[in-house]
Amino acid sequence: MPRFPRSSPFVQQLSDRVFSQLAERANSQPGPVYPLHVGDTYLEPLDAAKAENQASADHPGLHKYAPVQGEPELLRAIADKVERRSGVRPKLDDLQVMPGATAGLMVVCSALLVPGDEVLLPAPFWPLIRGIIRARGALPIEVPVFDRLGAQGLEQGSEPSFDPAEALEAHITDHTVAVYVNTPNNPTGACLTSEQLESIGELARKYDLWILADEVYEDLYFGPTAPRSSFTLPAFADRTITSHSLSKAYALAGARVGYTHGPHEVMQVIRGTQTFSTYCAPRPMQFAGARALADGDAWLSRTRKLYASAAKEAADALRLPTPPAGTFLFFPSKPYRRAGESTIELLERCLEAGVMLTPGSASGSEYSDWIRLCFTCVAPADLTAALERVAGVLLES
Ligand SMILES: Cc1ncc(COP(=O)(O)O)c(C=O)c1O
C-alpha cells in the first residue's frame, strides 16, 4: 500500500522537542534565561582533547574516513580506560567506537530488535531511549524504579523494600526481549546496588533477555567509591551490550564519540549495523577522545569535585536530597505548586523568573508532575544566580 505522504508509523511519535514543551516560550522571554534544562556542561574539555588541537600534521589524513571499528589509538585508550574503571579488560575485537551513545544505542537496538518486541524500561529514564526503542517499531515498557529505591535513590516516594527485579518481572510477556539498565541513572542520579543489579541479571538469565547497559554516567559519582560497572557482574556475562560516552565525563558532547562492547558474536553484528549507520565516528574527534581517555584522569577527578559541589548547592537551595551521581536533580512538583496550578504552569513561572527547567514527562509517562534540573550546564556563579531564582519561585510560601 502506498505510504506517501505519510512517514513510517514508528517515527510518528518522535519529536525534536522531547526536552521541553517550553522551548518556544523561552525564545520570547525578555532577558537572559538560565538553561538548566539541558544535560550538558559549562566546562571546557582537557586541552589536548579540544577540536582545535587535533592537527593534520600529527594525524595524516585527519579528515578521511576512520576504520568502522574505530581508530586503533582510541580503541587502545578505551580498553585501558575500561580496565581502569571496571577492573575488566575488554578484548579489542569486541569494542566498537560509536558516534556518541545516542547513535550507539540506536545501532544496538537496530541490531537486536524487531517490530513488536518489548523492552523493559526502568523509569524515570533518559528521554531519548524511549524514542530509540520506538523508532525500531519495538515497545518501551515503562516500569517505575529509580524514584522508589530507598537509601540509594531519592527520599520522596522511596520504598525501602522495593525490589527492581521483582517490579520488572511483573511486566515480562512472551514479547519481552531486552531490559535497559542505566546506572547511574539519568535523571535521578540514583545508582543500583550490586545486589539489585545481580537480581536484574538473574531475571535476564531466567527469561533469556538481552541487557542493554547504559554507563554514560559511570564517572560522575560523588561518593568515595565508584559504583559497580554493571557488565562485570557474573549474571550480566554473555548477554550484556554496554554503551559508554565521552560526552558527560569528558565535556565532549559535541565531539560525538562513545563506545560499545559486549559478547563477541553480537559485536560483529553490531559492527555490521554501524557500517550502514554512520560508517564511522568523526575521525578528528576520535583522536581527541583518545587523548581525553589516556590523559584525562586528573581532569576528571577535578570535574567530579566541581560537580559534587554543584549537586550539593542545587539540592540545598531547593531543600532536596543531594543525588549520589549524575548531573541532575529530579523532584516532584506537587509540594511547590499553587492551588490548581499544573506542573507546566509552575515551569512557566520559573521561566518568567529566568530559568528553564524540563518537565518530567520526558522521562516517563508517570512523571509528568516531576521536574528535572541540570546543575552542571552553567558556570558556578550562574548556577548560584539561577538557583536563587528557582528557589524564589518554588519556595515562595
Ligand atoms: C543515560 C544517557 N544515555 C545516553 C546518552 C547519550 O549520550 P551521547 O551524548 O554520547 O549521545 C545520554 C545523554 O544525555 C544519557 O543521559
Side-chain angles (χ1 to χ4, degrees):
M1 197 202 287
R3 171 146 308 120
F4 180 82
R6 286 167 294 123
S7 52
S8 153
F10 299 155
V11 298
Q12 272 161 15
Q13 293 165 14
L14 304 186
S15 152
D16 62 354
R17 304 265 306 279
V18 282
F19 286 107
S20 183
Q21 301 150 21
L22 299 164
E24 232 156 64
R25 278 192 67 120
N27 291 338
S28 55
Q29 176 70 23
V33 172
Y34 294 101
L36 304 196
H37 62 298
V38 190
D40 209 337
T41 180
Y42 67 94
L43 290 176
E44 286 293 317
L46 185 75
D47 263 351
K50 287 183 177 161
E52 62 266 34
N53 291 330
Q54 313 315 310
S56 298
D58 300 328
H59 306 289
L62 184 65
H63 301 97
K64 291 186 169 181
Y65 289 115
V68 171
Q69 191 195 356
E71 279 299 326
E73 184 179 328
L74 176 57
L75 291 167
R76 280 191 301 275
I78 290 170
D80 292 346
K81 158 75 189 178
V82 173
E83 186 174 15
R84 281 201 307 281
R85 172 64 180 80
S86 72
V88 175
R89 187 173 186 83
K91 291 202 184 86
L92 272 187
D93 200 30
D94 300 342
L95 287 176
Q96 173 63 46
V97 173
M98 294 291 193
T102 306
L105 279 154
M106 187 67 122
V107 166
V108 170
C109 287
S110 300
L112 299 185
L113 305 180
V114 300
D117 283 349
E118 293 177 5
V119 178
L120 298 174
L121 189 49
F125 44 76
W126 164 54
L128 296 193
I129 189 62
R130 184 169 53 186
I132 288 173
I133 294 167
R134 282 185 180 149
R136 191 64 193 129
L139 300 173
I141 306 298
E142 301 182 22
V143 185
V145 165
F146 289 103
D147 55 319
R148 321 221 158 158
L149 288 178
Q152 311 80 29
L154 303 176
E155 277 161 27
Q156 308 99 339
S158 67
E159 300 162 21
S161 61
F162 178 78
D163 178 355
E166 203 178 296
L168 292 166
E169 186 166 20
H171 291 81
I172 288 184
T173 72
D174 289 347
H175 301 288
T176 312
V177 297
V179 53
Y180 169 77
V181 181
N182 170 221
T183 179
N185 166 254
N186 171 358
T188 60
C191 303
L192 294 169
T193 62
S194 295
E195 293 72 36
Q196 288 164 335
L197 286 167
E198 195 71 48
S199 309
I200 294 174
E202 295 302 339
L203 182 77
R205 231 158 246 290
K206 181 169 164 195
Y207 292 95
D208 250 333
L209 308 180
W210 284 107
I211 300 174
L212 312 182
D214 181 335
E215 301 257 327
V216 162
Y217 293 93
E218 63 186 328
D219 288 318
L220 299 184
Y221 52 89
F222 309 137
T225 45
R228 176 83 181 254
S229 302
S230 58
F231 62 91
T232 62
L233 286 154
F236 275 52
D238 307 329
R239 60 181 62 248
T240 304
I241 296 140
T242 307
S243 296
H244 304 256
S245 173
L246 274 70
S247 296
K248 308 295 174 185
Y250 295 96
L252 283 168
R256 310 317 293 138
V257 180
Y259 52 97
T260 297
H261 55 91
H264 182 73
E265 291 73 22
V266 78
M267 287 312 297
Q268 302 306 306
V269 178
I270 284 170
R271 186 161 310 146
T273 312
Q274 162 59 16
T275 311
F276 290 85
S277 168
T278 60
Y279 189 80
C280 64
R283 187 160 193 253
M285 298 318 289
Q286 292 199 44
F287 293 117
R291 296 274 49 84
L293 292 178
D295 307 335
D297 281 359
W299 186 95
L300 183 54
S301 317
R302 215 174 47 246
T303 296
R304 231 187 329 259
K305 287 193 189 112
L306 290 170
Y307 289 179
S309 98
K312 181 162 180 351
E313 182 183 346
D316 288 353
L318 303 185
R319 299 181 203 149
L320 294 166
T322 305
T327 59
F328 304 105
L329 297 182
F330 192 67
F331 52 95
S333 65
K334 191 154 181 256
Y336 311 112
R337 297 200 311 262
R338 291 174 178 163
E341 188 176 50
S342 70
T343 298
I344 292 293
E345 285 162 348
L346 174 63
L347 293 178
E348 281 171 356
R349 283 201 290 127
C350 292
L351 190 54
E352 279 156 23
V355 184
M356 177 98 153
L357 302 173
T358 314
S361 51
S363 293
S365 47
E366 288 211 6
Y367 300 90
S368 51
D369 283 330
W370 288 60
I371 295 173
R372 192 184 82 168
L373 176 155
C374 176
F375 49 76
T376 61
C377 54
V378 297
D382 286 341
L383 181 67
T384 304
L387 289 170
E388 262 170 32
R389 291 169 186 228
V390 178
V393 174
L394 299 190
L395 309 175
E396 63 181 2
S397 52

